[in-house]
Amino acid sequence: MVKRDIEIYLELLPYIQGSPQQTIWLSYDQEADVLYVSLGNSIPATDSELTDEDIIIRYHGDRVIGNTILHASRRSLFRSSEEDAQ
């Protein structure tokens, strides 16, 4: 299980390296099934939008500062982790 966790983090690495903001914080709320992704230092959002894919994009001015991914366990990265745990 630990090895699979490390593999998941390594799978994220190319996306982090390609991101203009390389400091990324992740937090998962299992009860709400929500994944919070914060880019850079924590600052308050001044605006947000909900996409058709149930992702809330948070902005500070014109800059994207994070995403809130609703129904996170339904998405492929989480599904493969849950299947491995069973």
Side-chain angles (χ1 to χ4, degrees), residues 19-78:
S19 170
Q21 181 57 264
Q22 292 185 345
T23 300
I24 298 175
W25 301 94
L26 301 174
S27 178
Y28 176 64
D29 180 334
Q30 187 172 13
E31 186 175 329
D33 193 22
V34 174
L35 176 65
Y36 300 97
V37 181
S38 297
L39 308 172
N41 295 330
S42 180
I43 57 174
T46 58
D47 198 8
S48 64
E49 70 176 294
L50 176 64
T51 70
D52 292 338
E53 294 83 22
D54 285 339
I55 297 173
I56 300 169
I57 303 171
R58 299 186 317 272
Y59 298 93
H60 184 84
D62 291 337
R63 192 177 99 195
V64 174
I65 59 166
N67 302 296
T68 301
I69 302 172
L70 308 175
H71 319 294
S73 66
R74 297 181 193 168
R75 304 184 190 257
S76 63
L77 185 62
F78 278 84

